[in-house]
Amino acid sequence: METKTEGSKTDQKRRAIRQAAAECFARYGYDKTTLDDIGKAIRLNKASLYYYYKNKEELFIDVVLQESAAFMSDLMAKVATIDEPTEQISTYLTERLRYYKQVLNLHSLSIENLQTLEPQFEQLYAGVLQQELDFLETLMRKAIPPTEDARQLASLLLTVADALKYKAVRDAGFGSTQAIDYSQVEHETGLLTKLIINGINA
């Protein structure tokens, strides 16, 4: 059984590996980065890396989830400074989409690898998604009458926004994620937000 001290050492080592991996993924891109590259950056051999992460995919997902959690926290603080509720919601949904695009471009992820990794992301992202849903529900409560189901509408917006995002990826076929055009997704997400809120308040 791992003691508290041993656990904290493991956590520290995983954080160090994550940091080294993040730098490698940003420098070489996901496809070209190897566990050997990450091991050299952190001064660990591949066998030692396997003690903490079973493969490159698991390490990459951990890196992105940690970065995403930090980004979402900052975004929530930014949105809180906006006065108008509908603008808060639109800004939140737009910025999270732009961050998704930024992550894909930064790590030069191919569409093929993105589609392979996406199911694992969905499963592990559940905790962050609940935090997002709670926050969006809070924003929605300020934008619609109290008689309406703010959580259901918040869930609907997140579901449709993500569906539009994934559709853009599918429509792009194979190749580089940098070729994906998200401008239509931004427009449709903003339009949907206004339609829902304005329709309920009409």
PDB file of all heavy atoms in Angstrom, residues 96-116:
ATOM      1  N   ARG A  96     -14.544  28.705 -25.209  1.00  0.00           N
ATOM      2  CA  ARG A  96     -14.207  27.280 -25.014  1.00  0.00           C
ATOM      3  C   ARG A  96     -13.987  26.607 -26.371  1.00  0.00           C
ATOM      4  O   ARG A  96     -13.148  25.717 -26.493  1.00  0.00           O
ATOM      5  CB  ARG A  96     -15.254  26.564 -24.167  1.00  0.00           C
ATOM      6  CG  ARG A  96     -16.554  26.277 -24.850  1.00  0.00           C
ATOM      7  CD  ARG A  96     -17.631  25.834 -23.874  1.00  0.00           C
ATOM      8  NE  ARG A  96     -17.419  24.494 -23.368  1.00  0.00           N
ATOM      9  CZ  ARG A  96     -17.852  23.383 -23.962  1.00  0.00           C
ATOM     10  NH1 ARG A  96     -18.486  23.461 -25.119  1.00  0.00           N
ATOM     11  NH2 ARG A  96     -17.658  22.201 -23.424  1.00  0.00           N
ATOM     12  N   LEU A  97     -14.711  27.034 -27.400  1.00  0.00           N
ATOM     13  CA  LEU A  97     -14.498  26.507 -28.742  1.00  0.00           C
ATOM     14  C   LEU A  97     -13.127  26.935 -29.268  1.00  0.00           C
ATOM     15  O   LEU A  97     -12.384  26.131 -29.834  1.00  0.00           O
ATOM     16  CB  LEU A  97     -15.593  27.000 -29.684  1.00  0.00           C
ATOM     17  CG  LEU A  97     -15.391  26.689 -31.172  1.00  0.00           C
ATOM     18  CD1 LEU A  97     -15.394  25.183 -31.418  1.00  0.00           C
ATOM     19  CD2 LEU A  97     -16.465  27.363 -32.015  1.00  0.00           C
ATOM     20  N   ARG A  98     -12.788  28.201 -29.058  1.00  0.00           N
ATOM     21  CA  ARG A  98     -11.490  28.697 -29.525  1.00  0.00           C
ATOM     22  C   ARG A  98     -10.343  27.999 -28.806  1.00  0.00           C
ATOM     23  O   ARG A  98      -9.278  27.759 -29.392  1.00  0.00           O
ATOM     24  CB  ARG A  98     -11.414  30.210 -29.336  1.00  0.00           C
ATOM     25  CG  ARG A  98     -12.321  30.975 -30.291  1.00  0.00           C
ATOM     26  CD  ARG A  98     -12.340  32.458 -30.035  1.00  0.00           C
ATOM     27  NE  ARG A  98     -13.228  33.141 -30.973  1.00  0.00           N
ATOM     28  CZ  ARG A  98     -13.555  34.426 -30.893  1.00  0.00           C
ATOM     29  NH1 ARG A  98     -13.061  35.178 -29.920  1.00  0.00           N
ATOM     30  NH2 ARG A  98     -14.376  34.958 -31.780  1.00  0.00           N
ATOM     31  N   TYR A  99     -10.565  27.685 -27.547  1.00  0.00           N
ATOM     32  CA  TYR A  99      -9.528  26.970 -26.801  1.00  0.00           C
ATOM     33  C   TYR A  99      -9.340  25.566 -27.362  1.00  0.00           C
ATOM     34  O   TYR A  99      -8.214  25.077 -27.488  1.00  0.00           O
ATOM     35  CB  TYR A  99      -9.891  26.888 -25.317  1.00  0.00           C
ATOM     36  CG  TYR A  99      -8.905  26.069 -24.518  1.00  0.00           C
ATOM     37  CD1 TYR A  99      -7.616  26.546 -24.284  1.00  0.00           C
ATOM     38  CD2 TYR A  99      -9.250  24.819 -24.021  1.00  0.00           C
ATOM     39  CE1 TYR A  99      -6.692  25.790 -23.576  1.00  0.00           C
ATOM     40  CE2 TYR A  99      -8.339  24.055 -23.312  1.00  0.00           C
ATOM     41  CZ  TYR A  99      -7.059  24.549 -23.095  1.00  0.00           C
ATOM     42  OH  TYR A  99      -6.149  23.798 -22.402  1.00  0.00           O
ATOM     43  N   TYR A 100     -10.426  24.906 -27.705  1.00  0.00           N
ATOM     44  CA  TYR A 100     -10.369  23.578 -28.322  1.00  0.00           C
ATOM     45  C   TYR A 100      -9.518  23.635 -29.592  1.00  0.00           C
ATOM     46  O   TYR A 100      -8.640  22.801 -29.806  1.00  0.00           O
ATOM     47  CB  TYR A 100     -11.796  23.131 -28.637  1.00  0.00           C
ATOM     48  CG  TYR A 100     -11.924  21.786 -29.315  1.00  0.00           C
ATOM     49  CD1 TYR A 100     -11.837  20.601 -28.583  1.00  0.00           C
ATOM     50  CD2 TYR A 100     -12.178  21.695 -30.682  1.00  0.00           C
ATOM     51  CE1 TYR A 100     -11.981  19.362 -29.199  1.00  0.00           C
ATOM     52  CE2 TYR A 100     -12.317  20.465 -31.301  1.00  0.00           C
ATOM     53  CZ  TYR A 100     -12.224  19.303 -30.553  1.00  0.00           C
ATOM     54  OH  TYR A 100     -12.375  18.086 -31.177  1.00  0.00           O
ATOM     55  N   LYS A 101      -9.787  24.641 -30.406  1.00  0.00           N
ATOM     56  CA  LYS A 101      -9.013  24.816 -31.645  1.00  0.00           C
ATOM     57  C   LYS A 101      -7.544  25.082 -31.324  1.00  0.00           C
ATOM     58  O   LYS A 101      -6.640  24.539 -31.971  1.00  0.00           O
ATOM     59  CB  LYS A 101      -9.586  25.979 -32.448  1.00  0.00           C
ATOM     60  CG  LYS A 101      -8.836  26.268 -33.741  1.00  0.00           C
ATOM     61  CD  LYS A 101      -9.447  27.443 -34.491  1.00  0.00           C
ATOM     62  CE  LYS A 101      -8.681  27.740 -35.774  1.00  0.00           C
ATOM     63  NZ  LYS A 101      -9.259  28.886 -36.511  1.00  0.00           N
ATOM     64  N   GLN A 102      -7.303  25.889 -30.312  1.00  0.00           N
ATOM     65  CA  GLN A 102      -5.932  26.221 -29.921  1.00  0.00           C
ATOM     66  C   GLN A 102      -5.168  24.978 -29.471  1.00  0.00           C
ATOM     67  O   GLN A 102      -3.999  24.787 -29.831  1.00  0.00           O
ATOM     68  CB  GLN A 102      -5.972  27.237 -28.781  1.00  0.00           C
ATOM     69  CG  GLN A 102      -4.606  27.593 -28.194  1.00  0.00           C
ATOM     70  CD  GLN A 102      -4.734  28.480 -26.964  1.00  0.00           C
ATOM     71  OE1 GLN A 102      -5.584  29.361 -26.907  1.00  0.00           O
ATOM     72  NE2 GLN A 102      -3.923  28.222 -25.967  1.00  0.00           N
ATOM     73  N   VAL A 103      -5.822  24.117 -28.702  1.00  0.00           N
ATOM     74  CA  VAL A 103      -5.185  22.886 -28.233  1.00  0.00           C
ATOM     75  C   VAL A 103      -4.801  22.004 -29.411  1.00  0.00           C
ATOM     76  O   VAL A 103      -3.683  21.481 -29.484  1.00  0.00           O
ATOM     77  CB  VAL A 103      -6.124  22.115 -27.272  1.00  0.00           C
ATOM     78  CG1 VAL A 103      -5.603  20.701 -27.031  1.00  0.00           C
ATOM     79  CG2 VAL A 103      -6.238  22.856 -25.950  1.00  0.00           C
ATOM     80  N   LEU A 104      -5.719  21.838 -30.360  1.00  0.00           N
ATOM     81  CA  LEU A 104      -5.445  20.990 -31.522  1.00  0.00           C
ATOM     82  C   LEU A 104      -4.295  21.546 -32.348  1.00  0.00           C
ATOM     83  O   LEU A 104      -3.411  20.810 -32.792  1.00  0.00           O
ATOM     84  CB  LEU A 104      -6.686  20.864 -32.398  1.00  0.00           C
ATOM     85  CG  LEU A 104      -7.934  20.259 -31.756  1.00  0.00           C
ATOM     86  CD1 LEU A 104      -9.005  20.032 -32.814  1.00  0.00           C
ATOM     87  CD2 LEU A 104      -7.618  18.956 -31.040  1.00  0.00           C
ATOM     88  N   ASN A 105      -4.297  22.855 -32.560  1.00  0.00           N
ATOM     89  CA  ASN A 105      -3.250  23.483 -33.371  1.00  0.00           C
ATOM     90  C   ASN A 105      -1.897  23.465 -32.665  1.00  0.00           C
ATOM     91  O   ASN A 105      -0.859  23.219 -33.284  1.00  0.00           O
ATOM     92  CB  ASN A 105      -3.629  24.913 -33.731  1.00  0.00           C
ATOM     93  CG  ASN A 105      -4.775  24.975 -34.735  1.00  0.00           C
ATOM     94  OD1 ASN A 105      -5.121  23.974 -35.347  1.00  0.00           O
ATOM     95  ND2 ASN A 105      -5.359  26.137 -34.891  1.00  0.00           N
ATOM     96  N   LEU A 106      -1.916  23.739 -31.352  1.00  0.00           N
ATOM     97  CA  LEU A 106      -0.665  23.781 -30.591  1.00  0.00           C
ATOM     98  C   LEU A 106       0.048  22.441 -30.638  1.00  0.00           C
ATOM     99  O   LEU A 106       1.271  22.365 -30.777  1.00  0.00           O
ATOM    100  CB  LEU A 106      -0.950  24.169 -29.132  1.00  0.00           C
ATOM    101  CG  LEU A 106       0.255  24.142 -28.177  1.00  0.00           C
ATOM    102  CD1 LEU A 106       1.288  25.182 -28.587  1.00  0.00           C
ATOM    103  CD2 LEU A 106      -0.204  24.383 -26.742  1.00  0.00           C
ATOM    104  N   HIS A 107      -0.724  21.364 -30.544  1.00  0.00           N
ATOM    105  CA  HIS A 107      -0.126  20.035 -30.497  1.00  0.00           C
ATOM    106  C   HIS A 107      -0.081  19.359 -31.866  1.00  0.00           C
ATOM    107  O   HIS A 107       0.268  18.185 -31.952  1.00  0.00           O
ATOM    108  CB  HIS A 107      -0.885  19.158 -29.504  1.00  0.00           C
ATOM    109  CG  HIS A 107      -0.877  19.696 -28.101  1.00  0.00           C
ATOM    110  ND1 HIS A 107       0.287  19.919 -27.403  1.00  0.00           N
ATOM    111  CD2 HIS A 107      -1.873  20.097 -27.277  1.00  0.00           C
ATOM    112  CE1 HIS A 107       0.001  20.401 -26.208  1.00  0.00           C
ATOM    113  NE2 HIS A 107      -1.308  20.528 -26.113  1.00  0.00           N
ATOM    114  N   SER A 108      -0.447  20.102 -32.923  1.00  0.00           N
ATOM    115  CA  SER A 108      -0.401  19.591 -34.296  1.00  0.00           C
ATOM    116  C   SER A 108      -1.030  18.203 -34.400  1.00  0.00           C
ATOM    117  O   SER A 108      -0.455  17.277 -34.973  1.00  0.00           O
ATOM    118  CB  SER A 108       1.057  19.528 -34.794  1.00  0.00           C
ATOM    119  OG  SER A 108       1.653  20.804 -34.733  1.00  0.00           O
ATOM    120  N   LEU A 109      -2.208  18.074 -33.833  1.00  0.00           N
ATOM    121  CA  LEU A 109      -2.884  16.786 -33.797  1.00  0.00           C
ATOM    122  C   LEU A 109      -3.574  16.516 -35.127  1.00  0.00           C
ATOM    123  O   LEU A 109      -4.298  17.370 -35.641  1.00  0.00           O
ATOM    124  CB  LEU A 109      -3.919  16.800 -32.667  1.00  0.00           C
ATOM    125  CG  LEU A 109      -4.448  15.465 -32.161  1.00  0.00           C
ATOM    126  CD1 LEU A 109      -3.319  14.640 -31.559  1.00  0.00           C
ATOM    127  CD2 LEU A 109      -5.531  15.701 -31.116  1.00  0.00           C
ATOM    128  N   SER A 110      -3.347  15.337 -35.684  1.00  0.00           N
ATOM    129  CA  SER A 110      -4.034  14.984 -36.923  1.00  0.00           C
ATOM    130  C   SER A 110      -5.492  14.654 -36.607  1.00  0.00           C
ATOM    131  O   SER A 110      -5.828  14.264 -35.480  1.00  0.00           O
ATOM    132  CB  SER A 110      -3.370  13.775 -37.579  1.00  0.00           C
ATOM    133  OG  SER A 110      -3.584  12.612 -36.805  1.00  0.00           O
ATOM    134  N   ILE A 111      -6.360  14.809 -37.587  1.00  0.00           N
ATOM    135  CA  ILE A 111      -7.775  14.507 -37.389  1.00  0.00           C
ATOM    136  C   ILE A 111      -7.955  13.024 -37.056  1.00  0.00           C
ATOM    137  O   ILE A 111      -8.776  12.653 -36.211  1.00  0.00           O
ATOM    138  CB  ILE A 111      -8.593  14.899 -38.637  1.00  0.00           C
ATOM    139  CG1 ILE A 111      -8.592  16.432 -38.775  1.00  0.00           C
ATOM    140  CG2 ILE A 111     -10.023  14.378 -38.548  1.00  0.00           C
ATOM    141  CD1 ILE A 111      -9.263  16.945 -40.030  1.00  0.00           C
ATOM    142  N   GLU A 112      -7.154  12.186 -37.687  1.00  0.00           N
ATOM    143  CA  GLU A 112      -7.239  10.743 -37.425  1.00  0.00           C
ATOM    144  C   GLU A 112      -6.945  10.438 -35.963  1.00  0.00           C
ATOM    145  O   GLU A 112      -7.674   9.681 -35.304  1.00  0.00           O
ATOM    146  CB  GLU A 112      -6.271   9.995 -38.338  1.00  0.00           C
ATOM    147  CG  GLU A 112      -6.370   8.485 -38.207  1.00  0.00           C
ATOM    148  CD  GLU A 112      -5.462   7.750 -39.178  1.00  0.00           C
ATOM    149  OE1 GLU A 112      -4.639   8.420 -39.844  1.00  0.00           O
ATOM    150  OE2 GLU A 112      -5.577   6.526 -39.257  1.00  0.00           O
ATOM    151  N   ASN A 113      -5.873  11.031 -35.421  1.00  0.00           N
ATOM    152  CA  ASN A 113      -5.535  10.793 -34.015  1.00  0.00           C
ATOM    153  C   ASN A 113      -6.560  11.429 -33.085  1.00  0.00           C
ATOM    154  O   ASN A 113      -6.866  10.883 -32.025  1.00  0.00           O
ATOM    155  CB  ASN A 113      -4.136  11.326 -33.700  1.00  0.00           C
ATOM    156  CG  ASN A 113      -3.052  10.322 -34.030  1.00  0.00           C
ATOM    157  OD1 ASN A 113      -3.227   9.128 -33.850  1.00  0.00           O
ATOM    158  ND2 ASN A 113      -1.935  10.796 -34.540  1.00  0.00           N
ATOM    159  N   LEU A 114      -7.078  12.597 -33.474  1.00  0.00           N
ATOM    160  CA  LEU A 114      -8.114  13.245 -32.657  1.00  0.00           C
ATOM    161  C   LEU A 114      -9.320  12.330 -32.517  1.00  0.00           C
ATOM    162  O   LEU A 114      -9.861  12.153 -31.423  1.00  0.00           O
ATOM    163  CB  LEU A 114      -8.532  14.571 -33.290  1.00  0.00           C
ATOM    164  CG  LEU A 114      -9.753  15.260 -32.654  1.00  0.00           C
ATOM    165  CD1 LEU A 114      -9.469  15.622 -31.200  1.00  0.00           C
ATOM    166  CD2 LEU A 114     -10.132  16.501 -33.452  1.00  0.00           C
ATOM    167  N   GLN A 115      -9.755  11.744 -33.628  1.00  0.00           N
ATOM    168  CA  GLN A 115     -10.924  10.867 -33.598  1.00  0.00           C
ATOM    169  C   GLN A 115     -10.659   9.601 -32.783  1.00  0.00           C
ATOM    170  O   GLN A 115     -11.575   9.054 -32.166  1.00  0.00           O
ATOM    171  CB  GLN A 115     -11.346  10.523 -35.026  1.00  0.00           C
ATOM    172  CG  GLN A 115     -11.906  11.734 -35.773  1.00  0.00           C
ATOM    173  CD  GLN A 115     -12.181  11.461 -37.245  1.00  0.00           C
ATOM    174  OE1 GLN A 115     -11.618  10.531 -37.828  1.00  0.00           O
ATOM    175  NE2 GLN A 115     -13.041  12.270 -37.848  1.00  0.00           N
ATOM    176  N   THR A 116      -9.396   9.161 -32.752  1.00  0.00           N
ATOM    177  CA  THR A 116      -9.037   7.997 -31.940  1.00  0.00           C
ATOM    178  C   THR A 116      -9.043   8.332 -30.456  1.00  0.00           C
ATOM    179  O   THR A 116      -9.490   7.539 -29.613  1.00  0.00           O
ATOM    180  CB  THR A 116      -7.636   7.484 -32.335  1.00  0.00           C
ATOM    181  OG1 THR A 116      -7.646   7.111 -33.708  1.00  0.00           O
ATOM    182  CG2 THR A 116      -7.231   6.279 -31.495  1.00  0.00           C
TER     183      THR A 116
END
